[in-house]
């Protein structure tokens, strides 16, 4: 009886380890936060997927086989691995100091070793026999049963999934569930080039209980909601400039913000001069929709005064002077001019909150002003255009007689920044972490990141991340660490 219980426990450890291993392998961002791991660029993700994924899956396989076959020899393997993992933890406690997380981790791993060793001892005592051939029959039968049930009960399972999703959707996880600090999410990491995995540019910044959004690219309000942040919680929107890829989702974002929390006042939309006409245009375009919504849902749910946006322009000149555009509950937002000629004005923003700071480049060629403003910031969100890849696009456009595409691909490198130049700026500014967003060309699979980054990693000494929709960086007040989670 005792032995069976121990084997079941061991089996559960195996399943848990397998799930963690597969998560590291396939969706590393989901676990990296819990393990306090921050990948340094593409190579970092390679280590996390390969080393951590491989370690956990290997241990899981030995543990599961040991539990199923009642074989102490198979269980010896994960025990040895865990032994050395605990040794590493103890060295960490001795040499790097103590943290609650590392103490919890070592206690958990000691419990795991104790279970494995107890199972081994129990099996050794009784000389239990392995399952043998019956295992090879049991596994396919089990698999068939699971697949058959999934097929037969599609409707029921679908309803259960819907219930779960609905629970999550209305929980309004952010900002209420986040600890005080600066949290920055990518609700859109793309550019004008179509990328099935990326919405147009959009970065949300949560500072304490306030929520600000920089740019409203096409599709970004949906990504924001999928990440668990209701557009209803937006305090203000800030636009960097008025290229279509940065404002394409503005109408929808203002609408979702209004209906999301029955706001009585329109959302303030900050931007350099010109923002008035953009906001007016979207308000006009959504005027009929506003009428329908009020008529259908009533004034209590859709207060007519809260629809749309109200422009909050600031004047940007082409000097390198920066200006504070908003101060609220310890948060300072500073705007500065960047170089996106012939687009003028074009702004970048710096957010400072409780000793932590984030700079968002907007669209720009290498900008000395940005390098100056970003000095000492924790994280730099920088746009990036890999000219070597864009010239491949250009050559293809020429070969296929696509004159328009050929001209555009020849023009765009002049008003964007290569990853190498962005890395140089990040290094010069002394930021802790460089996050690329607004990446050109499209990078639908992370495998392309190395080609995109080029030599950037040799230039910037800190971690580099190629941003993906759903990433959330968290910076605790007064600290130096940056943790990352993936919410999509
Ligand atoms: Zn753009
Ligand atoms: Zn632009």
């Amino acid at each position: 009886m005792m032995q069976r219980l121990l084997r079941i426990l061991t089996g559960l450890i195996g399943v848990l380890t397998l799930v963690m291993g597969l998560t590291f392998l396939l969706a590393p961002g989901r676990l990296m936060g819990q393990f306090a791991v921050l990948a340094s660029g593409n190579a970092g993700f390679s280590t996390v997927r390969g080393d951590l994924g491989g370690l956990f899956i290997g241990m899981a396989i030995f543990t599961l086989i040991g539990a199923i076959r009642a074989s102490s020899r198979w269980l010896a393997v994960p025990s040895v691995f865990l032994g050395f993992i605990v040794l590493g933890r103890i060295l960490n406690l001795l040499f790097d100091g103590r943290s609650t997380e590392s103490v919890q981790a070592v206690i958990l791993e000691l419990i795991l070793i104790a279970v494995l060793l107890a199972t081994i001892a129990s099996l050794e005592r009784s000389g239990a026999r392995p399952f043998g051939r019956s295992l090879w029959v049991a596994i396919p039968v089990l698999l068939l049963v699971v697949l058959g049930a999934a097929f037969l009960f599609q409707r029921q399972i679908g309803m259960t999934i819907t219930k779960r999703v609905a629970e999550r959707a209305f929980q309004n996880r952010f900002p209420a569930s986040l600890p005080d600090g600066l949290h920055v999410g990518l609700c859109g990491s793309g550019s004008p080039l179509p990328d099935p995995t990326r919405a147009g540019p959009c970065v949300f910044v949560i500072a304490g209980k306030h929520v600000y959004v920089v740019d409203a690219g096409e599709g970004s309000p949906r990504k924001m909601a999928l990440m668990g942040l209701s557009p209803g919680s937006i305090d203000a929107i800030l636009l960097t400039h008025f290229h279509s890829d940065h404002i394409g989702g503005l109408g929808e974002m203002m609408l979702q913000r209004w209906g999301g929390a029955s706001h009585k006042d329109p959302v303030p939309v900050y931007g350099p001069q010109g923002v008035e006409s953009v906001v007016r245009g979207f308000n006009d375009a959504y005027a009929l929709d506003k009428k329908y919504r009020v008529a259908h849902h009533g004034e209590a749910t859709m207060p007519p005064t809260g629809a749309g946006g109200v422009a909050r322009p600031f004047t940007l000149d082409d000097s390198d002077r920066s200006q504070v555009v908003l101060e609220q509950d310890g948060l300072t937002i500073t705007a500065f001019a960047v170089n996106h000629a012939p687009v003028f004005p074009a702004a970048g923003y710096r957010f400072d909150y409780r000793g932590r700071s984030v700079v968002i480049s907007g669209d720009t060629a290498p900008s000395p002003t940005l390098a100056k403003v970003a000095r000492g910031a924790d994280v730099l969100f920088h746009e990036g255009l890999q000219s070597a890849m864009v010239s491949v696009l250009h050559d293809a456009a020429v070969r296929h007689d696509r004159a328009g595409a050929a001209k555009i691909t020849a023009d765009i490198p002049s008003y964007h920044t290569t990853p190498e130049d962005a890395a140089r700026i990040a290094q010069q500014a002394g930021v802790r972490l460089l996050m690329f967003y607004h990446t050109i060309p499209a990078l639908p699979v992370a495998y392309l990141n190395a080609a995109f980054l080029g030599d950037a990693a040799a230039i910037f000494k800190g971690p580099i991340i190629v941003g993906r929709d759903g990433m959330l960086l968290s910076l605790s007040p007064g600290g130096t660490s940056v943790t990352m989670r993936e919410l999509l």
Side-chain angles (χ1 to χ4, degrees), residues 465-483:
I465 299 176
V466 177
R468 282 197 297 270
D469 291 10
M471 285 178 167
L472 180 78
L473 298 182
S474 294
L475 295 79
S476 56
T480 55
S481 69
V482 181
T483 55

Side-chain angles (χ1 to χ4, degrees), residues 190-192 201 215 240-241 243-246 340 362-363 383 415-416 438 440:
S191 69
D215 286 335
T240 57
H241 64 299
H243 257 150
S244 58
D245 54 315
H246 297 254
H340 195 37
D363 284 7
E383 63 121 274
Y415 68 1
H416 289 295
H438 196 289
I440 302 176

Side-chain angles (χ1 to χ4, degrees), residues 424-450:
R424 214 160 278 126
I425 288 166
Q427 184 66 23
Q428 190 189 331
V431 302
R432 278 182 216 287
L433 189 149
L434 171 60
M435 167 78 92
F436 281 105
Y437 82 123
H438 196 289
T439 46
I440 302 176
L443 305 169
V445 288
Y447 187 79
L448 297 173
N449 290 356

Side-chain angles (χ1 to χ4, degrees), residues 13-91:
I13 292 172
V15 171
L16 185 77
T17 319
L18 185 65
V19 170
M20 290 201 294
L22 288 172
T23 310
F24 271 126
L25 199 72
L26 301 173
R30 287 186 196 281
L31 270 186
M32 284 160 63
Q34 275 137 8
F35 280 76
V37 170
L38 186 67
S40 168
N42 184 54
F45 273 102
S46 159
T47 304
V48 174
R49 282 187 202 268
D51 292 357
L52 288 178
L55 172 71
F56 277 86
I57 291 173
M59 279 176 47
I61 288 172
F62 281 99
T63 311
L64 284 170
I65 295 178
I68 292 167
R69 298 185 61 130
S71 160
S72 50
R73 266 185 288 177
W74 287 88
L75 292 180
V77 177
S79 308
V80 170
F81 272 103
L82 268 171
F84 279 100
I85 288 172
V86 168
L87 177 68
R89 297 274 187 199
I90 292 169
L91 291 178

